[in-house]
Amino acid sequence: MTARDPDCVLVSAPVPGCFHGRVPILEQVQLATQTYRLRLGAPELARAIRPGQFVMLRLPQTTDPLLGRPLALYDTVLDAAGLPVGVDIVYLVVGRLTGRLPPLRAGDQLEVWGPLGNGFPDLSGTAHVGLVAGGIGQTPFLAYVRELLGDRSYGGRPARRQVQRVSLFYGVRSADRAAGVEDFRATGATVHLASDDGSLGFRGFVTQLLEQRDMPDHLVGCGPEPMLQALAELARRRGVPCHLSLETPMACGLGICFSCVVPVRTAEGWDYRRACVDGPVFRADDLLFEVPPAR
Amino acid sequence: MAQLSVTLGRLTLRNPIVVASGTFGYAREMAAFIDFARLGAIIPKTVTRLPRAGNRPPRTVETPSGMLNAIGLDNDGIDHFIAQHLPYLRRLPTAIIANIAGKTVDEFVELAERLGAEPGLAGLELNLSCPNVSGGIDFATDPRTTSEVVRRVRAVCPLPLIAKLTPNVTDVTVIAQAAADAGADAVSLVNTFIGMAVDWRRRRPILGHVTGGLSGPAIKPLALRLVWQVARQVAVPVIGIGGITTIDDVMEFLVAGARAVQLGTVNFFDPTAAQRISGELPAALATLGATSVEQIVGTLRLNGD
């Protein structure tokens, strides 16, 4: 594993923008079944974070659960003067930590560190971008749509329209799981919905829906691994460049534990890369998905 | 102003707060969170002779107040370490202690010889105890192999030596004694306890490697007992490791006999902990009326004394 200098992530000490501390919950809203939006009062994070990056979040004053959980930026929150004052995170209740979040209220505190990870690519000059989400994989795309359409500034970079058109393809198990659809519609992106049971939009996989529409010039995916694998295969077949944002079991989010590795192609064959510092966004063509036989 | 420095054989550290190998990357990952000058030493991730991809994921899983890991010594080998990591590490304002693991005694000797010739290292920690590597020998489960590695490394490498020991043995004092007799400046203990996690619905182990090493607050009482036992029975400086998360944990290990401590898993879930705990040390010493760390090391009073 080559430990690349994560210069885009952890700048240097103690630079404003790399934050670790306790922050207050400003509000919590249920968006869908088992799905909540959590607003954190964290101005340092809000000023620095870019679409596709994530934060680690944990419960304070306990060692059980022990580790933080990686959660993508949903969007930054601006005050009346347009200054970033908070970050929104959207989470699905899946386990021991997320299961303890829903009862938390405004004023309760969480520990958080970030921003972490490389973030989504600059797609300047691309006419039509397709964002493909499955399950809870839509959450990193709201800020990205706004960045691509020049609607919002992130990480201190001036807002600038990068692309002509953004389409979101969003697949869920059933209608009650769809979270944030109105937020996406409000951005000006074209929203295409799919569900496994047909209770919302197209009945079937989101990748099947994508194949029925105008193929975008660049695809970016986030969701369950089988969906990402299908998307990578589709992109390869159609000759469309594609990036994927991965979620892997992560202990630190910082690049120090070497837990969250994924196998990628390298000049020498393959090697593991840490999803937290070399990702979470990878070029689809670089990903192997299956671990090759031991070398 | 309290005297924070500690001496372990030929190794003197500015303070007893050390960050453990495998829990601090190659330090640069932590530059945004930690003022390295506040640490007694940094021990970067274990380096091996050849690059190792490491174990298949999942490599970690959380357990009650702890975690299991089976990373498998994922690293790019000694050439890469010397070319890419050491130039950065040796510029940092704290002691750097390299950590090495060999599959054979000869590999340990070769690694130690090469690092002993490099400027900018304060010491060498011998990883005799990684539980997650198949094909290698777990040197620290046997006093003879422990002794042989330490003795032969000592003969070729001028750096102060720390033997890192496994708790997965019947009597760790025997191993510690062997390391001390062979010339180790200090022993560090404990490495992780071998454990396992099972997904019964899928009838599968959770870790890709099946078993892994348990660390975190869950192991602190186990580690404390072993550190205390070695410190009172073996005439060698002890570096205490195992679930240390707060300044209170640090003080417990020092009083029990550790002359320094390593912070490990806490770095994963509290990235500024090492610096904060280091800053809390003078006040904790003052609570005991001590003016130096050395004054409190091994001062545990047994019931009835």
Side-chain angles (χ1 to χ4, degrees):
Chain A
M1 137 92 49
T2 302
R4 285 206 311 234
D5 193 348
D7 55 355
C8 61
V9 183
L10 304 172
V11 195
S12 64
V15 174
C18 228
F19 176 81
H20 172 229
R22 258 174 224 183
V23 301
I25 293 171
L26 301 179
E27 67 174 37
Q28 172 149 244
V29 178
Q30 183 162 14
L31 298 184
T33 300
Q34 297 283 73
T35 311
Y36 298 80
R37 176 170 58 70
L38 197 55
R39 180 161 293 176
L40 303 173
E44 299 93 335
L45 262 175
R47 282 195 293 270
I49 198 163
R50 290 180 288 107
Q53 291 191 300
F54 64 96
V55 300
M56 292 294 282
L57 190 140
R58 80 182 286 275
L59 300 173
Q61 288 169 322
T62 180
T63 59
D64 191 20
L66 183 69
L67 304 169
R69 302 292 191 268
L71 289 157
L73 170 70
Y74 186 62
D75 209 352
T76 53
V77 181
L78 309 181
D79 68 8
L83 297 173
V85 291
V87 292
D88 278 346
I89 300 299
V90 171
Y91 68 90
L92 176 69
V93 172
V94 289
R96 293 198 307 142
L97 189 142
T98 50
R100 288 176 56 176
L101 294 177
L104 299 182
R105 293 287 168 261
D108 290 339
Q109 297 213 317
L110 291 168
E111 283 176 13
V112 60
W113 59 99
L116 304 166
N118 57 358
F120 287 125
D122 185 324
L123 295 181
S124 296
T126 306
H128 179 201
V129 174
L131 307 179
V132 188
I136 192 67
Q138 87 285 18
T139 64
F141 286 143
L142 183 66
Y144 196 31
V145 174
R146 289 182 160 162
E147 181 177 59
L148 290 170
L149 294 176
D151 187 41
R152 181 67 87 83
S153 146
Y154 295 94
R157 298 173 176 184
R160 179 178 57 82
R161 191 175 181 113
Q162 296 179 19
V163 303
Q164 286 169 27
R165 192 176 148 208
V166 177
S167 299
L168 174 77
F169 299 85
Y170 175 24
V172 288
R173 200 186 302 169
S174 53
D176 64 308
R177 297 273 170 164
V181 172
E182 292 316 309
D183 291 338
F184 282 98
R185 289 211 165 105
T187 62
T190 312
V191 177
H192 305 275
L193 301 171
S195 57
D196 295 352
D197 65 358
S199 57
L200 181 72
F202 174 83
R203 181 191 192 111
F205 291 138
V206 71
T207 43
Q208 296 170 323
L209 171 63
L210 171 63
E211 287 229 72
Q212 295 182 359
R213 307 286 161 153
D214 291 347
M215 187 54 63
D217 305 304
H218 198 117
L219 294 167
V220 184
C222 183
E225 191 165 310
M227 183 212 104
L228 296 183
Q229 233 171 319
L231 180 62
E233 172 52 34
L234 188 158
R236 193 175 310 123
R237 206 170 62 233
R238 301 286 290 264
V240 180
C242 179
H243 282 80
L244 301 177
S245 180
L246 305 186
E247 184 182 18
T248 63
M250 207 173 267
C252 68
L254 303 161
I256 58 176
C257 76
F258 290 70
S259 302
C260 62
V261 296
V262 291
V264 303
R265 280 175 238 283
T266 65
E268 298 79 35
W270 74 277
D271 199 357
Y272 288 118
R273 291 282 184 272
R274 291 166 291 183
C276 65
V277 289
D278 296 316
V281 182
F282 292 88
R283 293 190 337 171
D285 287 344
D286 290 341
L287 295 170
L288 290 176
F289 292 103
E290 301 297 326
V291 177
R295 66 170 201 204
Chain B
M1 187 64 194
Q3 176 62 254
L4 300 183
S5 70
V6 290
T7 297
L8 305 102
R10 296 171 291 165
L11 177 65
T12 295
L13 302 177
R14 168 194 300 143
N15 69 53
I17 308 298
V18 178
V19 287
S21 183
T23 70
F24 210 70
Y26 299 96
R28 73 181 84 203
E29 295 92 337
M30 297 299 275
F33 292 97
I34 298 268
D35 174 4
F36 298 130
R38 304 292 293 275
L39 304 179
I42 292 170
I43 311 185
K45 194 163 165 51
T46 295
V47 59
T48 57
R49 195 171 76 87
L50 296 174
R52 290 177 54 90
N55 292 328
R56 62 185 302 127
R59 290 174 167 189
T60 50
V61 58
E62 186 171 295
T63 57
S65 293
M67 65 182 282
L68 288 162
N69 89 79
I71 308 298
L73 301 184
D74 176 339
N75 82 105
D76 286 328
I78 185 73
D79 292 341
H80 183 89
F81 181 80
I82 289 173
Q84 301 297 324
H85 296 307
L86 206 46
Y88 174 81
L89 290 166
R90 66 163 64 99
R91 286 201 315 267
L92 300 182
T94 188
I96 303 298
I97 299 171
N99 178 297
I100 60 172
K103 279 187 182 166
T104 62
V105 180
D106 287 344
E107 279 195 7
F108 269 107
V109 169
E110 181 187 336
L111 289 163
E113 204 165 9
R114 289 194 61 188
L115 289 171
E118 290 292 328
L121 287 175
L124 195 61
E125 184 175 61
L126 307 173
N127 182 356
L128 303 169
S129 50
C130 179
N132 299 321
V133 181
S134 56
I137 302 165
D138 199 350
F139 289 89
T141 57
D142 183 333
R144 284 165 304 178
T145 48
T146 299
S147 171
E148 191 186 354
V149 174
V150 173
R151 186 173 45 78
R152 288 195 49 206
V153 165
R154 175 97 202 220
V156 299
C157 177
L159 295 169
L161 297 182
I162 302 164
K164 186 169 182 178
L165 305 184
T166 175
N168 302 302
V169 293
T170 308
D171 185 357
V172 75
T173 65
V174 176
I175 315 290
Q177 186 68 58
D181 292 344
D185 292 87
V187 292
S188 52
L189 67 152
V190 296
N191 205 325
T192 54
F193 291 83
I194 296 177
M196 188 169 173
V198 165
D199 179 346
W200 67 266
R201 290 179 180 82
R202 293 172 56 240
R203 305 188 205 206
R204 288 201 180 267
I206 293 176
L207 292 175
H209 189 64
V210 184
T211 61
L214 183 65
S215 66
I219 72 164
K220 196 193 74 175
L222 304 173
L224 199 54
R225 189 274 289 192
L226 292 167
V227 163
W228 169 71
Q229 211 170 16
V230 170
R232 75 197 298 240
Q233 290 181 30
V234 185
V236 66
V238 176
I239 303 174
I241 322 170
I244 296 173
T245 301
T246 65
I247 184 63
D248 291 322
D249 298 336
V250 170
M251 296 300 286
E252 290 172 24
F253 274 85
L254 295 176
V255 167
R259 196 160 292 271
V261 295
Q262 291 181 18
L263 274 49
T265 300
V266 68
N267 298 314
F268 297 159
F269 66 86
D270 187 358
T272 52
Q275 173 174 332
R276 185 179 66 247
I277 289 171
S278 166
E280 291 167 346
L281 188 56
L285 290 172
T287 304
L288 294 181
T291 55
S292 75
V293 171
E294 302 265 7
Q295 275 173 11
I296 66 158
V297 170
T299 54
L300 188 72
R301 294 178 295 176
L302 295 187
N303 302 335
D305 282 4

